Amino acid sequence: MNSKWQLNTYSGVSAGVGFYGGYSTTYMAVPVGLQLSRPLNNNWVAFAGVSAAPVFYSFPHTFMNPAYNKSYPGSYLPNTYQFGVDARAELGLMYINDARTFSISGSIGIEQSSYPIFPVDNRVNTKRQSASAR
């Protein structure tokens, strides 16, 4: 058993499709990160990590146009291709069997995204408010 701290780097590529209300969006991300790990005994390893992932999003025009999609509160974007960045910090625990042929891990983390969707417009309807005040 090696009980020393280890600092490792990692990177990857991921791509996918997300669906919402009959619409879809595609993305491609390239996460890079640092992970600090320490074996607790022969079977358990604790780890902590930070990562950043530049993301390329592609949204269809109808998804972001409020005239077609009433559930989307933003305005229409002429360019349906957007870039964003996701940042993450996490802590976790990994179990490795004695034969070193199987491992399973779990972690908890916090993530921040620069997702390119506009926030909801929270303006108050003044006509409705003044009618109820009477």
Side-chain angles (χ1 to χ4, degrees), residues 42-105:
N42 286 332
N43 298 103
W44 293 95
V45 177
F47 62 90
V50 294
S51 65
V55 183
F56 173 75
Y57 299 95
S58 174
F59 295 100
H61 282 283
T62 54
F63 177 77
M64 295 184 296
N65 189 341
Y68 296 111
N69 184 4
K70 301 295 183 203
S71 64
Y72 178 69
S75 62
Y76 178 74
L77 293 175
N79 183 5
T80 61
Y81 302 106
Q82 300 290 325
F83 286 99
V85 177
D86 293 348
R88 179 175 174 82
E90 65 183 328
L91 296 170
L93 196 59
M94 178 173 25
Y95 172 79
I96 305 169
N97 70 342
D98 290 331
R100 301 270 191 230
T101 58
F102 172 79
S103 69
I104 188 166
S105 64

Side-chain angles (χ1 to χ4, degrees), residues 1-10 33-41 44-50 90-96 105:
M1 181 179 79
N2 184 359
S3 63
K4 294 184 180 180
W5 292 93
Q6 296 177 2
L7 182 63
N8 298 306
T9 60
Y10 62 89
L34 289 171
Q35 180 174 310
L36 183 65
S37 59
R38 177 174 166 79
L40 302 175
N41 61 28
W44 293 95
V45 177
F47 62 90
V50 294
E90 65 183 328
L91 296 170
L93 196 59
M94 178 173 25
Y95 172 79
I96 305 169
S105 64

Side-chain angles (χ1 to χ4, degrees), residues 100-115:
R100 301 270 191 230
T101 58
F102 172 79
S103 69
I104 188 166
S105 64
S107 65
I108 187 165
I110 185 166
E111 188 168 338
Q112 177 67 42
S113 175
S114 65
Y115 192 64

Side-chain angles (χ1 to χ4, degrees), residues 18-25 60 62-63 69 71:
F19 299 97
Y20 175 74
Y23 301 97
S24 66
T25 183
T62 54
F63 177 77
N69 184 4
S71 64

